[in-house]
Amino acid sequence: MQIQYVMNTPPASVPRTTSLEEAAQHMTRVGVGALPVVEDDRVVGIVTDRDLVVRAMARGLPPQTEVEKVMSNAPATVDAETAVAVALLVMRSVQVRHLPVVSEGRLVDMISFDDLFWQLTQQLSDLAAVVDAARKIPEVLRGAQQAPLPHG
């Protein structure tokens, strides 16, 4: 399954000139732990709740500091047509829990490890239901063969 079928567009994002305080408030408002930092709809960075704590608060940066001072530059991204399993491998290889999703270089979504994990769990559940139903087919067929046919 491709990422584009798991997406929840439109993504929340901020420009690089957004203050740390505004970014934190925006994260709270939309319920996310990371925001892509964009310029002309292109991802130039990412700022996470951890960045706000470790790179900003712990260093005593003022709340009006721009996110570009603490963001991770040029983060890993995945294309909307990327397979979910590949996206998980990318997350693991660069040790992140959030990946911006792009199409033709432009931000179209932000996917989290939790989103992908939930999707894979749902797929496994669906597969288990199919296997369970397939196991019951012989019983159903056996019962149909034993039932008397109506005479009409």
Side-chain angles (χ1 to χ4, degrees):
M1 172 172 281
Q2 296 176 336
I3 292 292
Q4 64 187 339
Y5 301 113
V6 185
M7 297 187 331
N8 301 315
T9 51
S13 64
V14 293
R16 64 175 66 222
T17 57
T18 302
S19 73
L20 298 174
E21 182 176 36
E22 291 169 325
Q25 290 170 347
H26 191 49
M27 283 181 189
T28 300
R29 203 170 29 257
V30 297
V32 298
L35 292 168
V37 180
V38 296
E39 188 171 278
D40 298 324
D41 291 332
R42 301 202 181 272
V43 179
V44 296
I46 189 168
V47 63
T48 67
D49 48 8
R50 188 171 192 280
D51 293 332
L52 296 176
V53 172
V54 175
R55 294 181 178 174
M57 290 178 60
R59 293 182 183 163
L61 294 179
Q64 296 312 311
T65 303
E66 294 179 344
V67 294
E68 73 178 336
K69 302 284 191 233
V70 300
M71 72 181 189
S72 296
N73 291 300
T77 63
V78 290
D79 191 85
E81 294 180 358
T82 301
V84 168
V86 172
L88 283 168
L89 287 173
V90 170
M91 284 181 175
R92 186 172 181 179
S93 69
V94 295
Q95 299 180 355
V96 297
R97 296 184 56 84
H98 301 89
L99 281 176
V101 180
V102 297
S103 180
E104 297 178 10
R106 298 194 176 278
L107 178 67
V108 294
D109 198 11
M110 179 76 140
I111 202 80
S112 72
F113 175 83
D114 293 345
D115 295 331
L116 299 181
F117 184 76
W118 183 88
Q119 182 62 36
L120 290 174
T121 302
Q122 187 63 46
Q123 287 177 337
L124 286 174
S125 176
D126 293 347
L127 180 60
V130 168
V131 168
D132 187 50
R135 286 183 179 153
K136 293 178 182 174
I137 288 175
E139 296 171 20
V140 171
L141 291 176
R142 193 172 33 250
Q145 292 170 350
Q146 294 174 355
L149 295 174
H151 296 287

